[in-house]
């Protein structure tokens, strides 16, 4: 499916000096059908904002028939341009990650969903995904009942609860409190060789989700951190595995947001033995 070039939308926000957030939107296009409507997907980026790899990832989703919104996560500190994949850029991104208020991250997610649902080519059914920092932000987006499906790629800082200013987030505490129970479906994807999220961290995330009776799958693959990034990945990009995980993600999106299933009528029946 054809897609548009990314378009920058600027929305007022409550945090930061500029009080504005830039959100890039990439849309599918079907020639001859100018009033076509599509589901929406929020793509949360790494600490480098909307880079080439993130834009290409978002474009692939858009080409499957989804309106994609990519928020600039550090609009409080930077314009909505990519931060370089170098030592200085990494240091900047990591500094911003723990200087930004947790409430500001959540507001960014809300504004991204608000934007998608306001667009004339979006049907209002929303999913979310993200990688690294963006994986954690997508995880938190799942608390929003409007978000029906979420896929998190190697989400950082969930197990350590160290996202945001003060490095003390409440993501897993909110899961324990039931904020994911009875909501959308979640997929967590981790590389088993990911030094950012060790086995104990993955086990903690799995147990917390299981104990909360959240609807989720946790997939562990033979890969390192950032294995889906096709640029400056320090030799860790695995194109074949990325393609497989992308298919896993699209199956969830197609099953949950690509179709209007109506309201949930209750829990699924117990499986037969």
């Amino acid at each position: 499916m054809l897609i548009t070039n990314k378009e920058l939308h600027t929305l007022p926000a409550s945090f930061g000096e500029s009080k504005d957030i830039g959100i890039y939107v990439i849309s599918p296009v079907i020639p001859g059908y100018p009033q076509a409507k599509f589901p929406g997907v929020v793509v949360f980026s790494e600490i480098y904002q909307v880079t080439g790899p993130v834009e290409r990832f978002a474009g692939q989703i858009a080409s499957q028939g989804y309106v994609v919104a990519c928020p600039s996560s550090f609009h409080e500190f930077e314009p909505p341009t990519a931060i370089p994949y170098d030592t200085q850029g990494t240091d900047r991104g990591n500094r911003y990650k723990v200087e930004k208020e947790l409430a500001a991250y959540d507001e960014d997610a809300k504004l991204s969903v608000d934007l998608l649902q306001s667009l004339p080519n979006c049907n209002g059914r929303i999913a979310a995904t993200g990688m690294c920092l963006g994986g954690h932000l997508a995880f938190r987006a799942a608390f929003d009942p409007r978000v029906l499906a979420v896929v998190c790629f190697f989400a950082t800082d969930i197990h350590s609860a160290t996202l945001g200013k003060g490095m003390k987030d409440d993501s897993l505490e909110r899961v324990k409190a039931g904020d994911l129970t009875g909501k959308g479906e979640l997929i967590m994807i981790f590389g088993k060789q990911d030094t950012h999220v060790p086995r104990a961290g993955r086990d903690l995330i799995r147990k917390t989700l299981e104990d909360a009776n959240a609807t989720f799958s946790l997939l562990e693959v033979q890969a390192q951190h950032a294995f889906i990034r096709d640029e400056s990945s320090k030799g860790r990009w695995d194109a074949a595995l990325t393609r497989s995980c992308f298919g896993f993600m699209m199956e969830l999106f197609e099953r949950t947001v690509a179709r209007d299933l109506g309201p949930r009528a209750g829990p699924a029946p117990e499986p037969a033995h």
Side-chain angles (χ1 to χ4, degrees), residues 99-268:
E99 288 181 353
K100 178 165 177 151
E101 298 280 356
L102 191 63
Y105 284 119
D106 292 341
E107 183 185 61
D108 292 352
K110 177 184 180 301
L111 291 172
S112 298
V113 175
D114 290 347
L115 173 61
L116 283 172
Q117 292 192 325
S118 74
L119 296 176
N121 63 340
C122 180
N123 65 14
R125 299 181 63 78
I126 307 297
T129 186
M131 64 288 293
C132 193
L133 163 67
H136 193 158
L137 300 182
F139 185 89
R140 292 185 66 83
F143 297 135
D144 186 334
R146 298 176 298 173
V147 178
L148 305 177
V150 171
V151 179
C152 307
F153 288 89
F154 39 88
T156 52
D157 303 321
I158 295 176
H159 67 288
S160 57
T162 51
L163 177 65
K165 191 172 184 178
M167 299 179 67
K168 188 173 176 58
D169 69 69
D170 60 352
S171 297
L172 289 184
E173 291 304 314
R174 290 188 65 178
V175 174
K176 292 176 184 177
D179 283 4
L180 278 186
T181 307
K183 292 187 178 175
E185 186 170 344
L186 174 71
I187 295 177
M188 309 291 293
I189 301 175
F190 291 106
K192 296 191 76 171
Q193 289 79 46
D194 188 338
T195 58
H196 294 256
V197 190
R199 177 180 174 181
R202 302 192 302 270
D203 289 346
L204 174 62
I205 294 169
R206 180 189 293 108
K207 183 179 187 305
T208 304
L209 291 168
E210 288 277 14
D211 291 348
N213 198 30
T215 303
F216 81 101
S217 302
L218 193 147
L219 178 63
E220 294 176 297
V221 297
Q222 298 299 323
Q224 300 180 58
H225 192 71
F227 70 89
I228 69 171
R229 194 168 80 207
D230 64 1
E231 179 184 322
S232 301
S233 66
K234 302 178 182 178
R236 298 176 293 196
W237 178 43
D238 188 326
L241 186 55
T242 297
R243 183 173 64 249
S244 296
C245 291
F246 188 86
F248 206 71
M249 175 178 68
M250 295 315 302
E251 186 279 329
L252 175 63
F253 290 174
E254 289 167 9
R255 177 164 48 83
T256 54
V257 299
R259 296 166 179 81
D260 188 349
L261 304 179
R264 186 188 295 236

Side-chain angles (χ1 to χ4, degrees), residues 73-96:
S73 294
F74 295 141
H75 60 93
E76 297 89 349
F77 316 105
E78 298 253 351
T81 51
I83 296 174
Y85 285 125
D86 57 21
T87 300
Q88 183 182 23
T90 300
D91 291 344
R92 275 159 57 198
N94 280 323
R95 183 173 73 252
Y96 297 155

